[in-house]
Amino acid sequence: MSSPTTSLPDLIAATKATLEKIAAEYTPAVFASSLAAEDMVLTDLILRGQLQGGISIFTLETGRLHAETLGMLDRIKETYDYDVKPYRPQPEAVAAYVEQNGLNAFYDSVEMRKECCRIRKIEPLNRALAGNKAWITGQRRAQSQTRAELHVQEHDEAHGMAKFNPLADWSEDDVWQYIRSNDVPYNPLHDKGYPSIGCEPCTRAIQPGEDVRAGRWWWENPDSKECGLHVVDGKLIRIKSVAAEPQQNA
Ligand code: SF4
């Protein structure tokens, strides 16, 4: 079953239109791919749509990803002949954190977890976004309570650029229908109970019926379950919606 208000063909048409607009009007733009299912839908639409000239794709290679997730870089190369650019943390920052706190200190407190995410994700993200006019994510509104107000187009005040979430209106079923219909490669962890995939020590499989984000930082309160890429100082950024992207009626 697709999104309750919009058919999948209409969602695909609207998403293609959004990506084409970004490639035409917001270059240089970057797509921050986590290499998970949603991001593979966008990867497929960008690369099959020949939009890589305006939109480049990167991933945050935190040093703590599953082998299956890293394997997606090869799958993308084989399928689309495209090299996703990995952004890695500063080695000296990682070494200092591990030396002072321990390798897995993120289990000890929310603060320790946010500091690890800051070193391994936020600082590399800031480097990846520098000099661009817009960035793109694969976030969907239905993924969690922290994403309930997500819009297709927003203004990212923290980074001073446009931010697009082209799949904001897509349901999980829409994502999987697209993947299966178009033979899109996907992370094999999704078939092992991982609907949401992050770093290996901070992600676990969930039970049927659990929230799709329940396997991420499961030891914390649900309200704090964001990696910091879309929050500032531990709070959700008040991102102003620029315009609700019109859904095309095919
Ligand atoms: S998800 Fe976990 S391992 Fe990855 S950067 Fe955040 S705290 Fe560190």
Side-chain angles (χ1 to χ4, degrees):
M1 191 176 84
S2 74
S3 150
T5 54
T6 314
S7 71
L8 182 55
D10 285 354
L11 287 170
I12 294 169
T15 301
K16 282 182 177 174
T18 299
L19 293 171
E20 287 165 2
K21 176 176 118 173
I22 296 167
E25 301 174 16
Y26 288 85
T27 54
V30 281
F31 167 38
S33 172
S34 71
L35 307 169
E38 285 80 4
D39 299 308
M40 291 311 302
V41 170
L42 287 176
T43 296
D44 190 78
L45 288 168
I46 290 168
L47 297 179
R48 284 196 209 280
Q50 300 293 317
L51 300 176
Q52 57 267 48
I55 303 171
S56 54
I57 307 174
F58 74 88
T59 195
L60 299 176
E61 209 288 71
T62 65
R64 302 301 303 265
L65 299 179
H66 298 80
E68 291 90 336
T69 303
L70 290 172
M72 292 307 298
L73 297 173
D74 292 335
R75 301 278 304 280
I76 292 169
K77 177 71 174 175
E78 289 161 11
T79 307
Y80 305 101
D81 192 25
Y82 183 85
D83 291 306
V84 173
K85 184 170 182 178
Y87 277 83
R88 299 186 172 90
Q90 304 283 6
E92 58 277 12
V94 172
Y97 178 94
V98 171
E99 188 176 334
Q100 288 167 21
N101 308 299
L103 181 63
N104 294 330
F106 40 78
Y107 291 130
D108 295 345
S109 67
V110 172
E111 289 68 31
M112 276 289 126
R113 195 268 291 171
K114 287 182 176 171
E115 178 61 3
C116 185
C117 284
R118 187 191 67 74
I119 292 167
R120 294 183 183 273
K121 292 181 172 180
I122 296 176
E123 187 280 326
L125 176 74
N126 291 340
R127 253 188 288 133
L129 297 187
N132 288 284
K133 284 189 181 169
W135 69 299
I136 302 167
T137 84
Q139 290 186 306
R140 291 186 297 105
R141 197 174 298 123
Q143 276 171 323
S144 76
Q145 61 195 53
T146 57
R147 297 180 180 179
E149 295 187 28
L150 197 72
H151 296 277
V152 170
Q153 182 173 353
E154 302 175 334
H155 180 70
D156 180 347
E157 291 176 14
H159 294 105
M161 65 177 68
K163 180 181 170 207
F164 290 87
N165 311 296
L167 302 185
D169 298 325
W170 289 48
S171 69
E172 186 177 359
D173 284 348
D174 294 325
V175 169
W176 285 102
Q177 272 191 48
Y178 183 93
I179 285 175
R180 296 201 168 99
S181 303
N182 294 282
D183 206 16
V184 176
Y186 64 89
N187 191 326
L189 289 174
H190 289 304
D191 290 334
K192 297 176 182 174
Y194 291 80
S196 176
I197 304 168
C199 292
E200 184 167 19
C202 297
T203 309
R204 67 175 183 179
I206 65 167
Q207 298 300 315
E210 276 192 287
D211 185 278
V212 295
R213 299 271 297 172
R216 302 290 297 280
W217 304 302
W218 64 91
W219 63 91
E220 293 185 1
N221 182 305
D223 292 338
S224 62
K225 282 189 181 183
E226 290 290 348
C227 57
L229 304 188
H230 312 284
V231 296
V232 168
D233 294 334
K235 295 180 182 171
L236 281 172
I237 298 170
R238 295 296 300 170
I239 295 175
K240 184 179 166 199
S241 171
V242 173
E245 202 64 19
Q247 298 291 339
Q248 293 188 359
N249 296 314

